[in-house]
Amino acid sequence: MNASPASIAELPVVVIGAGPSGLAAAAHLLEQGLEPLVLEAESQVGASIREWGHIKLFSPWRYNVDAAAARLLDPTGWESPRATALPTGAELVHDYLEPLAKTAELAGRIRTDHRVLAISRGERDKTHVKARTGQPFVLRVAHAGEVLQLHASAVIDGSGTWGTPNPLGSAGLPALGEERPEVAQRLLGSLPDVLGVDAERLGGRHVLVVGAGHSAVNTLLNLAALKRKDHATTISWAIRGESAERVYGGGDADQLPARGALGQRLRRLVEEGEITLHTGAEVHALAVVEPPEASQPDASQSDDDAASALEVSFADGRRTRADYLAAATGFRPQLDMLRELRIDLDPAVESPRRLATLIDPEFHSCGTVEAHGADVLAHPEEGFFLAGMKSYGRAPTFLLATGYEQVRSIAAHLAGADAAARNLNLPETGVCSGVSAPDPDVSDPYASEADGPGADPAGAGGVQSCGGSAPEETQSCSSSSPEPVGAGSRIGASTGALHGRTG
């Protein structure tokens, strides 16, 4: 059956994911006179962000709210949070995403518990290009134990990457033994709630953190805070690089003070011996092993985990043992549901090919990115777009403001309006200047705050690489939400050497 242009125009634009980028997309579509339908896989909006709700963003509120979303909220009597306050992930959901989802304009256009399984077009597979041209999109969606089929005039996939973390092993593959059930029980994920629900089981234990991004920094700083409460806690940190200098960041050269404080706090902890750093450490294999007989725990010990340890073997033959491992190794996009679409992805970064040249961590170490919109994000499948964190593929430096500009441009394009990307004035991190800042003054109001997952770690809306300057007793993650400061500024966390990776 061929669909007429009129009937296609009557179909909604489906937005996948009810996180910050997804709800912002819906707001911009409405402003352009288009009908959005938001499909959220989980039971609540901002589902992925809720999983790191204990994390505090280092970017103030005024940089985390989309303009079109604010225009929907203002008539409701919504009180914008204090512009200079640093929200936690939970506050981002409670004080922004939930009120936004409840507005009269969006409430009836969001369907939770609707997981998109596959997307195609018309009545032919993607090898029939001519037969599919001008046809509506077809979405297979799981809901209430059934599979539904929905149609759309266009699709914006803002489902994020939170649900698909990178494995621990080298070559992009799981470490040997990583997928064994007994090993999986010792893996904490990217952002464990170290000072909250996980505190009891981690206190007094040896925790190894693997990774050199914001999530690793965040977890290490929170573990240090836990160690101040329970001195028996042991902290190790493993990175692939030969030096942690780039992880320490730009210090007081960073134009977001809370972000700049992160690395300097970590540097101090390493230099003081509170954290043991392993450099050049490629994880090769994982196994749960019994301790030597001489060190067997007392028979009265009731904790099963105390009778064994997680042994981590590195590629160079070194080995270390820990009770738990936090795998802060980044994320990658889930692409299976896009198999029947003609998409043009960079083979390495797995982002839209034209965007990859702007964000590839092999060459862009400072998080710099030009403003980009529908033209850069377009695919051969006309009317389909990746947006938010998912658009960045495996690149780690996505920002909320970048996602908001993406969906503004996409909505304008779909409406036939001016979709040219607007300049993004983003804050410098200081990492490209090579400046090493002194330790932050404890009186600095940002010194005990941190940032939250950058852009869209929430699988249902985006952020993904996290980290943070954990305050003494407060958890934190590094959010890449930017602060406008001037055209051409550099943003994001350092992702390698000055002009790219060293290896």
Side-chain angles (χ1 to χ4, degrees):
M1 178 185 72
N2 292 323
S4 68
S7 63
I8 294 176
E10 293 170 357
L11 293 172
V13 176
V14 166
V15 178
I16 305 174
S21 295
L23 295 186
H28 283 284
L29 288 167
L30 285 172
E31 287 197 339
Q32 292 291 346
L34 300 174
E35 179 65 25
L37 176 61
V38 181
L39 302 180
E40 167 55 50
E42 305 300 334
S43 60
Q44 303 176 87
V45 300
S48 296
I49 299 179
R50 294 173 193 269
E51 295 192 29
W52 49 266
H54 54 285
I55 299 301
K56 179 167 287 190
L57 283 70
F58 59 54
S59 50
W61 265 110
R62 65 175 173 269
Y63 306 125
N64 299 324
V65 177
D66 173 71
R71 288 190 285 271
L72 286 182
L73 285 163
D74 287 341
T76 69
W78 174 70
E79 294 186 12
S80 177
R82 182 164 56 88
T84 57
L86 304 174
T88 62
E91 290 167 341
L92 185 66
V93 172
H94 180 269
D95 298 337
Y96 172 52
L97 296 182
E98 286 183 344
L100 179 59
K102 292 176 182 177
T103 59
E105 293 83 357
L106 292 187
R109 295 179 167 97
I110 300 172
R111 298 185 186 178
T112 57
D113 290 314
H114 280 66
R115 181 178 297 276
V116 177
L117 304 175
I119 312 171
S120 188
R121 191 165 206 164
E123 297 180 341
R124 297 289 187 273
D125 66 48
K126 66 179 180 181
T127 65
H128 297 81
V129 177
K130 185 175 181 180
R132 286 161 54 114
T133 301
Q135 296 300 300
F137 287 90
V138 177
L139 294 93
R140 292 285 172 86
V141 182
H143 173 66
E146 298 182 358
V147 177
L148 313 176
Q149 182 159 295
L150 304 179
H151 293 87
S153 60
V155 177
I156 302 173
D157 183 358
S159 58
T161 58
W162 179 257
T164 48
N166 287 327
L168 276 162
S170 60
L173 303 174
L176 296 177
E178 182 175 347
E179 297 171 314
R180 289 180 174 273
E182 66 272 21
V183 169
Q185 292 177 1
R186 301 298 187 102
L187 303 182
L188 301 173
S190 294
L191 289 169
D193 192 356
V194 172
L195 299 177
V197 298
D198 294 319
E200 184 174 353
R201 68 167 170 159
L202 299 183
R205 298 302 186 88
H206 180 190
V207 181
L208 170 65
V209 178
V210 177
H214 284 152
S215 295
V217 176
N218 171 76
T219 299
L220 288 163
L221 293 172
N222 287 331
L223 284 168
L226 180 64
K227 185 173 182 177
R228 286 191 289 273
K229 295 180 179 180
D230 188 334
H231 300 297
T233 305
T234 304
I235 310 168
S236 296
W237 176 27
I239 61 174
R240 292 175 176 173
E242 296 300 329
S243 169
E245 281 301 313
R246 299 296 299 176
V247 185
Y248 296 145
D252 62 0
D254 193 313
Q255 294 178 339
L256 287 179
R259 181 174 59 191
L262 306 186
Q264 297 307 306
R265 299 171 67 114
L266 180 59
R267 179 198 296 273
R268 185 170 64 246
L269 289 166
V270 172
E271 291 176 348
E272 293 174 351
E274 295 297 314
I275 295 173
T276 300
L277 172 62
H278 302 275
T279 60
E282 290 270 3
V283 177
H284 174 66
L286 301 170
V288 174
V289 298
E290 299 298 322
E293 184 175 347
S295 60
Q296 287 287 340
D298 188 282
S300 63
Q301 179 72 47
S302 60
D303 189 342
D304 293 339
D305 288 342
S308 59
L310 179 66
E311 184 171 79
V312 182
S313 301
F314 298 114
D316 60 5
R318 286 177 292 166
R319 295 185 180 185
T320 188
R321 291 187 179 184
D323 295 304
Y324 294 99
L325 187 155
T329 50
F331 299 83
R332 58 182 59 179
Q334 197 279 84
L335 301 173
D336 289 349
M337 69 181 182
L338 310 181
R339 190 177 183 88
E340 282 304 317
L341 295 177
R342 293 177 296 125
I343 55 177
D344 184 20
L345 298 179
D346 179 83
V349 183
E350 294 184 341
S351 71
R353 191 180 300 271
R354 280 171 285 186
L355 176 58
T357 62
L358 306 178
I359 63 174
D360 188 342
E362 191 81 359
F363 308 103
H364 298 271
S365 62
C366 305
T368 54
V369 60
E370 300 173 14
H372 58 276
D375 57 339
V376 170
L377 300 169
H379 292 277
E381 199 72 69
E382 175 63 34
F384 174 78
F385 297 91
L386 295 173
M389 185 62 209
K390 192 167 183 177
S391 73
Y392 267 45
R394 300 191 183 197
T397 53
F398 175 76
L399 308 176
L400 279 178
T402 301
Y404 294 157
E405 174 56 21
Q406 287 179 343
V407 297
R408 183 208 64 79
S409 175
I410 292 169
H413 167 80
L414 293 175
D418 180 10
R422 299 172 179 173
N423 287 331
L424 290 176
N425 296 327
L426 302 169
E428 294 184 4
T429 63
V431 295
C432 297
S433 66
V435 175
S436 178
D439 290 342
D441 188 331
V442 294
S443 65
D444 186 333
Y446 291 94
S448 65
E449 307 290 356
D451 113 305
D456 255 317
V463 196
Q464 249 255 329
S465 45
C466 300
S469 86
E472 300 303 300
E473 304 296 342
T474 305
Q475 310 206 47
S476 56
C477 163
S478 65
S479 158
S480 311
S481 304
E483 169 177 359
V485 293
S489 297
R490 299 185 173 196
I491 49 88
S494 108
T495 57
L498 182 58
H499 298 296
R501 292 175 173 151
T502 56

